[in-house]
Amino acid sequence: MAVFLQQFPLPLILAFGFVLRLYHVNAPIIGIHAWRQSDTAAMARNYYENGFRFLYPQIDWGGSTPGYAETEFPMYPYMVSLVYKLFGFSDSYGRLLSAIFGVMAIYFMYRLVRLVATNKVALWSAFFFAVLPLNVFYSRTFQPESLLIMSCVIGLYGFVHWSQSRQDRYLILSVIFVTLASLLKVLPLVYVGLPLIFLAWQNFRGRMFLQWRLWAYAAVVLTATLLWYYHAHQIYQATGLSFGFWGGDTGRYAWRDLVGFKFWADILLRLAVRHFSIFGIVFLLVGLLRHDEGFPKAWFGVGMVSVLLTCGIAPTSSYVHEYYQLPLLIYAVPLMAKGWVDLVSGLFRFSKALAYSCLGLLITAGTIIYAIDYMGKEIPARSTVYSLAQQVQATTPLEARIISATGGDPNLLYLSHRKGWLVSPYRVNLDYLQALAQEGAEYLVGSYQVVESYSRFTDEGQKAALRSLVDEHLEPRVHTEESYIADLAPLGHSSSISRQFFQGV
């Protein structure tokens, strides 16, 4: 394989990476991080259905309101909505767009590493970036991570190229994509910003502070980011709807967790298993420990440390969402590639055998992890929420507002193509339903098996209370051991839409 990789052109790596990302391209929005994907897909669909008002993204869980919410910069869902306008609606287009961004990230990873290392190291960087399972998965999901990673890589490439050539067009390329990355997530200000500052210091030392181009660069990135999030916060103040960026009640900032052993142990274990498929750690360590005067190991190391620093900025989000550490691969794969090249060149007596063994095991472990932990959860027949959503579509009118008893998970609303309220099943009682019925709620929908698409419903007492409530006070449209869909009409709500729907069934 090593000889093959050294001889084939880069397009074959790109084609292979693209094919990997097309697997399950037609899958519905279920499985790992369906919550985040559902919100993103809902924004895209709402742009498409309700008008392309870029500055006002809409979610599905706004109750009886239009659903305008404080969100990250909605470039990705807006781009998907434009594809819908051209070709019609299909979730597949979102996944396909992500795959395209993923392949572009692989290409610019090669270009980035080629600026600072040999062609062999650059090719292997592209290869590892193309096949590591988490990078494959999140560059074909319906969320902005693929666009984010691509933007980070292009931004770094442009800055490195500018630092070597002083050609301003590369600095402009860099500022455009670093700005986009920071708009998408904010945290790139840290894990892209710090490596850029380190590189600028290496190039200019103290004269860095006299470079007007660098001041202009920082001003553009910071101003654009501040303007968008200021605007987004105005939407939150008007509607009360938000993805939850700021404040101690958002659940993102449990800093006390940072002093615990479990937090860091779990993060590092997840990195080793899911990000590096266990055996990639061998290549990474060799790349880190092996001294090579011409290879910018320190710069890539600063990048890795910068990503880990963001765990301290948003610890809860970093702990819950594995894709928060995904940018670590931008800086790690060049080190892995350098470690591989050093090992196969005969670093020590059995280094070549070790390299080939670890590569085979990496691919095997990565395939197993990807197949079982990720693709296995995107099978509709195994999804309770997907099945319930099909029943909602069959038994309620399209315009109906529903109460989704799925906690904070919008997956059921999105799959059902309905709008309404997200509530915990533990909050559901007669008074609560009557209050929401007065606001326009028409149906209560939920599962006795799961609370959220990934969390089992285990409270038998609350299940019994829900069953009694549905049977005694509502009009069940569906009521089985697994789920319920109940009309709120007995609570005094009367919907002409619902009456027309059922008269036509």
Side-chain angles (χ1 to χ4, degrees), residues 337-351:
K338 186 64 169 63
W340 160 266
V341 170
D342 286 346
L343 285 173
V344 297
S345 65
L347 184 60
F348 51 83
R349 184 177 179 184
F350 298 109
S351 65

Side-chain angles (χ1 to χ4, degrees), residues 5 111 228 255 268 326 424 442 479:
L5 278 176
R111 295 287 299 274
W228 169 256
W255 287 298
L268 293 175
L326 195 62
S424 166
E442 298 169 69
H479 200 193

